[in-house]
Amino acid sequence: MKLSGPFRQIVTLDHLPLKGKLRDENLEIITNGGILTENGQILEVGNYDFIKQKFPQSEIDLVENQQIAIPAFVDAHTHICFGGGRANDFAMRNSGKSYLEIAESGGGIWSSVLHTRAASGGELTDGILKRVRFLLKQGITTIEIKSGYGLNVDEELKMLRAIKKAQTKTDATLVPTCLAAHLKPKDFEGSSQDYLNYIIEEILPKVKAEKLANRVDIFVEKSAFQQEESKEFLLKAKELGFQITVHADQFTSGSSRIAVEVGAKSADHLEASIDADIEFLANSETVAIALPGASLGLGEPFCPARKILDNGGILAIASDWNPGSAPMGQLVTQASILATYQKLSTAEVLAALTFRAAYALDLHDRGILAKGKKADFAIYETDNFQNILYNQGSLIPSKVYINGKSVL
Ligand code: NIG
Ligand code: FE
């Protein structure tokens, strides 16, 4: 049993609704707080002196300089398993070159596919672990990671195995997702419908047999997979027992509706969602995941996060960290920027980075500091938790705890 504290403030994120808008006044803030942990879980959160008296035998993890504590963050959408980089895409795009011109000069998702296929499993694992450390330093301890740069049986399995291997080398929780339906690969002979059938028949059964992922994603877009074929694909994936998430409404609207109709855990991107899509999504249990990093990487509008919350939806915010559209990997910076443009309260942003993001991953044991939850939290040397978003990512945790142990 270990008591961490005393903290000037503990922001628990407890007692807040899963859906809809949040006011900062509703945040539970414990002053002179303590967090008691045992076997990776939280036994008690409350007044430091009270807990110390109640559990006199507990080991003391003395926190100096009046720091603050919040639940560790959850990044529910990343593509951090990849080879190579796409700096030239970024430069060309900023010079006014079109998507087509970039693809024709050897860029785009296909270029990451070629680099990822050229990398060994070990190299991919090393790359993942390097990026996981970068995210951990921002207080992120749960990280979803997609495949999707392999695009055939062997290469998709290589990516998912690399993620599985990385999981054995980090205390962070890695949540793998099969995104074989990212793009029809150039070397596949057949229609996109044929490729989707190939995923269902050849890739997903192996993913399942090896327990490499229990989530399936698809990029529904004019340039990738069309809405009707995507819906059929997702229903089949669901029948195979996979949870569903969708890259939806990034450039054209309509696919978030499909995500809701198939009972997806989340619909991600939503930069192009129209009001009717937002209302439909907000009335469901499907989490809307905003990816401001992709808006910043591409120079596209932000997801209409304010409208989603005002309509009663569940909003999460994730980094989308990938070599193409979102190369930054700074989730807190991105969430703070989204907040200034979309007018999101601090409570709404913190919820979107913690328990609401965890819900999108079907993880119900984290994102809140309360009795019985996983003891993942971050502490900051600052006198006010508002400074985390105010500093737009430049204030980083002094320590990050996973299962009650400091890992940084
Ligand atoms: O989420 N939109 C599709 N997929 C990624 C981009 C991947 C890439 O450009 O490599 C995204 O933005
Ligand atoms: Fe993505």
Side-chain angles (χ1 to χ4, degrees):
M1 212 184 299
K2 187 171 73 178
L3 175 61
S4 300
F7 294 108
R8 185 186 286 257
Q9 298 172 329
I10 300 175
V11 187
T12 66
L13 273 297
D14 200 6
H15 316 297
L16 295 172
L18 178 64
K19 301 190 77 172
K21 51 190 174 187
L22 298 172
R23 290 170 359 144
D24 290 349
E25 300 86 270
N26 297 122
L27 282 171
E28 177 182 65
I29 298 164
I30 299 171
T31 53
N32 187 34
I35 304 175
L36 186 71
T37 61
E38 189 176 51
N39 298 330
Q41 284 196 348
I42 297 174
L43 283 186
E44 192 114 16
V45 180
N47 180 276
Y48 179 82
D49 300 312
F50 176 79
I51 298 176
K52 198 174 166 187
Q53 255 175 25
K54 190 167 156 196
F55 300 93
Q57 74 280 29
S58 59
E59 176 197 337
I60 300 291
D61 169 31
L62 191 68
V63 175
E64 282 164 350
N65 303 329
Q66 292 282 313
Q67 305 200 38
I68 66 109
I70 61 169
F73 296 137
V74 174
D75 191 344
H77 181 138
T78 84
H79 307 246
I80 59 168
C81 177
F82 62 83
R86 307 235 296 274
N88 193 50
D89 287 24
F90 188 80
M92 281 183 79
R93 197 162 44 242
N94 291 351
S95 305
K97 297 287 189 283
S98 69
Y99 180 83
L100 205 68
E101 287 170 307
I102 293 170
E104 276 169 0
S105 81
I109 293 176
W110 186 246
S111 120
S112 292
V113 173
L114 295 179
H115 281 103
T116 304
R117 285 182 181 178
S120 68
E123 285 166 341
L124 291 180
T125 299
D126 290 347
I128 293 167
L129 289 168
K130 186 182 79 184
R131 295 174 196 114
V132 164
R133 275 192 293 276
F134 188 83
L135 294 173
L136 269 177
K137 286 187 189 147
Q138 299 168 47
I140 301 162
T141 62
T142 302
I143 302 159
E144 187 261 11
I145 309 178
K146 300 174 196 298
S147 65
Y149 295 124
L151 309 187
N152 63 37
V153 178
D154 292 346
E155 296 296 331
E156 283 292 305
L157 293 181
K158 182 180 83 181
M159 290 188 75
L160 291 168
R161 287 181 190 132
I163 299 167
K164 195 168 183 175
K165 184 80 188 167
Q167 181 62 93
T168 66
K169 298 183 174 200
T170 178
D171 294 316
T173 304
L174 308 183
V175 180
T177 302
C178 181
L179 177 59
H182 200 182
L183 195 75
K184 187 186 83 164
K186 284 188 183 180
D187 54 359
F188 183 83
E189 284 175 20
S191 64
S192 56
Q193 178 72 64
D194 294 335
Y195 179 62
L196 293 176
N197 288 338
Y198 165 79
I199 297 173
I200 295 287
E201 284 158 22
E202 304 292 332
I203 301 184
L204 295 186
K206 296 195 174 71
V207 170
K208 201 171 176 187
E210 261 189 69
K211 292 196 170 66
L212 292 172
N214 67 2
R215 296 161 44 85
V216 164
D217 194 352
I218 185 169
F219 182 22
V220 189
E221 191 53 59
K222 286 195 174 119
S223 61
F225 298 99
Q226 309 313 305
Q227 297 188 3
E228 265 319 298
E229 63 188 6
S230 300
K231 187 171 175 183
E232 251 176 66
F233 167 79
L234 290 172
L235 289 172
K236 284 185 196 156
K238 218 179 157 183
E239 250 172 58
L240 290 173
F242 289 93
Q243 293 181 1
I244 303 301
T245 175
V246 182
H247 277 73
D249 300 358
Q250 186 179 12
F251 303 109
T252 44
S253 68
S255 46
S256 60
R257 185 166 278 272
I258 292 171
V260 174
E261 284 167 355
V262 305
K265 291 282 164 203
S266 72
D268 309 22
H269 273 295
L270 310 170
E271 294 88 334
S273 296
I274 58 172
D275 287 356
D277 296 334
I278 292 166
E279 274 174 41
F280 194 68
L281 179 58
N283 275 308
S284 75
E285 297 300 305
T286 299
V287 180
I289 305 193
L291 304 172
S295 303
L296 293 167
L298 298 173
E300 294 286 336
F302 288 111
C303 159
R306 182 70 265 149
K307 277 189 188 166
I308 290 163
L309 289 165
D310 287 345
N311 278 277
I314 313 169
L315 180 80
I317 305 172
S319 74
D320 196 20
W321 192 2
N322 73 69
S325 61
M328 188 199 286
Q330 300 266 19
L331 178 58
V332 180
T333 298
Q334 294 163 1
S336 302
I337 292 171
L338 182 70
T340 60
Y341 279 89
Q342 285 287 311
K343 302 295 167 229
L344 307 178
S345 70
T346 300
E348 287 166 340
V349 175
L350 294 180
L353 295 173
T354 56
F355 69 95
R356 289 176 170 179
Y359 181 84
L361 299 178
D362 204 30
L363 296 171
H364 306 279
D365 62 344
R366 65 194 72 194
I368 291 172
L369 296 181
K371 195 180 171 112
K373 298 288 180 188
K374 192 174 189 296
D376 283 17
F377 54 96
I379 73 173
Y380 296 75
E381 217 169 308
T382 185
D383 58 0
N384 172 5
F385 72 96
Q386 291 175 312
N387 284 329
I388 297 168
L389 298 180
Y390 168 62
N391 282 279
Q392 295 181 305
S394 58
L395 177 68
I396 58 166
S398 63
K399 278 186 182 175
V400 178
Y401 291 76
I402 296 179
N403 295 330
K405 292 197 187 91
S406 163
V407 293
L408 282 181

